[in-house]
Amino acid sequence: MDKLIVSFLETQYGIIPSKISKMEGYENVNFRVTANEKKYVLKIYKGEESFEFLKAVDDVLDQLTDQFPKSIPTKTGKKVLSIQIEGKEYYAQLLTYLEGTFMGDLTTDETILNSLGSFLGKMNANLLSYRSPHIEARNHNWDNQNALMNEHLTSHIKDHSKRRLAEYFYLQFKEVVVPFQYQLRKAIIQGDANEWNTLVQNGEVTGLIDFGDISYSYLINELAIAVFYALFDKENLVESACQIIKTYHQELPLEEKELEVLYYLIAIRGVVSVCNSTHQASLQPDNQYITVSQKPAWEFLEKWITINPFFAEDEFRKACNFKEKNRSNVNELLQNRNKVMSKSLSLSYKSPIHFEKAALQYMYTADGNTYLDAYNNIKHVGHCHPKVVKAIQKQAATMNTNTRYVFENLTNYASLLLDKFPDKLNKVFFVNSGSAATDAALRMARVHTNRKAMLVMEEGYHGNTSAGIDVSHYKFSHQGGEGEPNDSFTIPLPTTHLQNNSLNQTQWKTNLLLSISNAKTIGLAGFIAEPILGCAGQVPLPNGYLKLAYELVREAGGVCIADEVQIGFGRTGKFWGWEHHDVIPDIVILGKPMGNGHPIGAVVTTSEIANSFDNGMEFFSSFGGNPVSCAIGKSVLEIIQDEDLVQNAIKVGEYFKHKLEELKDKLSIIHDVRGEGLFLGVEFRRSNETESITPWIKEELKKRFILTSTDGPGNRTLKIKPPMIFSKKNVDEFISKLNEILSGLEN
Ligand code: PMP
């Protein structure tokens, strides 16, 4: 090979090299050539580049200063020529050699980042009006505007949290960038100003090589790509990004629209990079280098999603001296809200939070903060999960109708859902909320038994309709409630954490039998309970309790209703909460997580009960079971399965509980840690307290950007029920902040 190169250089260029060494290259083979004390780079293109394209790139380089590689003409004046190697034809080019250290070999500081910005700004300004039909006609997958050409590669990402992250940014690219792409300036850009293409001398960027990814793209992509690579080793990502943006803007003023999409263009470059490297890794499973080299890109993306995009944009604008963007203001919104809404719709926190966007387990406020969501169980598979969003968009654009017509989605989804139940629970009724499901379930129990009385648990909650409130001790026995209705019979909680003792089996049985005998005076229709009581303060029912209760209720002729609205769909580490208790209910109520925030609820029951309910009166819900809801419900079930989220709830939930128990051993203020999977409760108590400290802890967590809530009698329990995609890293953040708050208290 070397001999061939030597003779090629001599015949074509008249150069007699004193030294030739092979250089690392992504696709092409490059040689460093020294001759007469001068250095050159001989490039041999192994890719798909055409002669016309290489010529077109050469013409671009001719426009630029000698800080860029320049081609050396052959003796006959050719700048690109063909070379035969082992019987195959390649194109070759001899280029000037640029001195300097690769940026990747340095720890970059503000001066280098500033110089990178101005270097790129100058280069882009120089090419702004340059036209090249060959380059403009080129369409390749590394051009950031073509990011979606790589979307299918997400299937190679095996780690669920990483795949979800990549898919999230593709979704945002489609939502935030694509609709506005025609408003973005286009220009010929180098499109790959990464740390191994950028040369530094004396603390300043002085050269850029490798124009293989050149494209006619959004101008702002030049900056987006450079920023992505420059941030790898940085602590403060936005501050470092601004050091590049600011000086770029001084050379080539940016437009506001460009800054509006920059955050997502930076992200999408990272995503395109990890998608391609993961694909490569799947083709070369033994190549450790690929896996290692993609690590910083993944770390970057995991960090980038925790940065509020409004904050990033505001900082980018400041770096370019644009005036502050007008964003909606929390006080104004509150004033308007109070005008049109009743105060009975309560707000969380003393000073309410104004959210405008959310991403998986994070929520972004309008004023630039990012909260870790450890509370919103409804966003079961994560806020704006890309697959759920896709399902909504696709079905909403296709058709939405109701169950009086036949359509595939309904039966598909119903079958998928019923697959999650034991055989005897084989009929489903779709509604739009947990409350509507409770309401329908109560009607079914009553029609089936032809009786009225319902047994309910102390501190249980099942819905906001009149019938729902009537079976919710949490509502009827507290402020504003009218007390126990005539046809509801409350069973005392068997686990009375608040009095610090638990009843034994004989006492449960006595309580159950007493409530049943009271109910029987008007005729027992059924028993409704959550297997872990959420509103009571995440209170699990003790082992054997539901089994005994179901037996006694059935003996008395009642049916058993399990409310899985809060804990269903895998949250507790089993798909349904009742599975912890070795029972099978007669009726199940579903809601909250079922549609990941879209209003869907359902009642699942036996054929016998469904037959009794079919008594001549039509059951119709205008929205229940509509095609859009079914598409969403189906996507949620598929995600739980594909992303192994029940397993995640077990793994992360156990870790979370263990970490909380460790804190409990250390800090006397933690009275109890309870719950299963990602449905946890922490009860705080101080000696001689007159008022619970837990709401204060919730506020302190909020100050540290973590969302939780309080519940249970006296609001003593901190409720933790994050999206099921919560990670151990998220747990560590939660624990470290809780520890900080509680240690401060104990001191
Ligand atoms: N059951 C339980 C256990 C609940 O927690 C809730 C809501 N908090 C409901 C039923 C009612 O659901 P929805 O708010 O969707 O009507």
Side-chain angles (χ1 to χ4, degrees), residues 95-302:
L95 300 166
T96 52
Y97 179 87
L98 300 186
E99 293 294 344
T101 310
F102 284 118
M103 208 167 74
D105 281 328
L106 298 166
T107 308
T108 52
D109 57 12
E110 184 172 352
T111 316
I112 296 183
L113 296 185
N114 283 162
S115 75
L116 175 64
S118 41
F119 185 92
L120 296 174
K122 276 186 199 138
M123 175 184 75
N124 286 161
N126 208 337
L127 293 176
L128 200 55
S129 54
Y130 185 80
R131 287 288 164 269
S132 165
H134 277 294
I135 294 171
E136 288 174 38
R138 196 172 180 231
N139 221 6
H140 68 97
N141 69 316
W142 282 96
D143 175 354
N144 228 25
Q145 72 179 329
N146 294 337
L148 296 176
M149 283 170 80
N150 304 281
E151 196 181 6
H152 66 285
L153 297 176
T154 51
S155 62
H156 295 286
I157 306 172
K158 297 289 172 255
D159 179 304
H160 306 306
S161 66
K162 288 192 165 95
R163 192 173 63 237
R164 195 188 304 122
L165 183 64
E167 286 169 346
Y168 175 78
F169 281 125
Y170 278 123
L171 170 71
Q172 294 309 312
F173 181 79
K174 282 181 245 182
E175 287 302 305
V176 181
V177 182
V178 172
F180 303 103
Q181 59 182 322
Y182 304 108
Q183 297 174 26
L184 299 172
R185 284 184 289 179
K186 290 186 85 173
I188 288 179
I189 62 167
Q190 187 264 2
D192 195 16
N194 70 42
E195 71 278 35
W196 301 111
N197 284 340
T198 308
L199 290 156
V200 177
Q201 291 178 89
N202 305 322
E204 291 207 352
V205 171
T206 54
L208 185 65
I209 60 165
D210 193 350
F211 278 63
D213 282 353
I214 194 166
S215 60
Y216 183 65
S217 187
Y218 317 146
L219 173 66
I220 188 70
N221 275 334
E222 189 83 272
L223 198 50
I225 291 165
V227 167
F228 163 69
Y229 291 107
L231 296 187
F232 275 10
D233 56 345
K234 295 290 171 279
E235 252 321 288
N236 191 332
L237 301 185
V238 172
E239 187 182 308
S240 299
C242 287
Q243 289 165 358
I244 308 170
I245 296 165
K246 182 178 166 183
T247 47
Y248 181 100
H249 180 72
Q250 285 162 2
E251 297 297 337
L252 174 54
L254 290 160
E255 295 181 355
E256 292 180 58
K257 197 80 221 163
E258 291 168 335
L259 296 182
E260 217 170 297
V261 293
L262 182 54
Y263 172 93
Y264 289 107
L265 288 175
I266 294 171
I268 208 68
R269 174 51 170 217
V271 170
V272 168
S273 164
V274 292
C275 279
N276 279 283
S277 56
T278 308
H279 177 50
Q280 282 307 316
S282 74
L283 299 175
Q284 308 167 47
D286 297 331
N287 189 338
Q288 289 299 316
Y289 175 75
I290 301 174
T291 321
V292 173
S293 66
Q294 63 172 219
K295 202 167 166 251
W298 278 121
E299 283 169 2
F300 168 83
L301 290 169
E302 278 157 10

Side-chain angles (χ1 to χ4, degrees), residues 651-680:
K651 187 181 74 187
V652 179
E654 274 173 7
Y655 180 70
F656 210 153
K657 199 168 173 185
H658 170 70
K659 289 278 162 189
L660 289 167
E661 278 162 351
E662 272 182 0
L663 273 191
K664 177 174 179 275
D665 292 341
K666 203 173 85 172
L667 303 165
S668 60
I669 190 167
I670 302 185
H671 174 71
D672 192 25
V673 174
R674 54 182 179 255
E676 294 290 341
L678 285 172
F679 196 67
L680 298 170

Side-chain angles (χ1 to χ4, degrees), residues 551-586:
E551 269 167 30
L552 297 176
V553 167
R554 283 173 179 151
E555 266 171 34
V559 298
C560 299
I561 306 175
D563 184 338
E564 294 279 338
V565 169
Q566 288 255 0
I567 62 172
F569 295 89
R571 173 157 298 279
T572 63
K574 294 204 186 277
F575 210 89
W576 306 116
W578 80 71
E579 293 175 276
H580 292 282
H581 294 274
D582 191 24
V583 294
I584 298 178
D586 305 301

Side-chain angles (χ1 to χ4, degrees), residues 433-436 438 461-464 530 535 563 565-566 592:
S433 67
S435 301
T438 297
Y461 175 70
H462 304 286
N464 60 25
E530 284 181 279
C535 292
D563 184 338
V565 169
Q566 288 255 0
K592 287 188 191 289

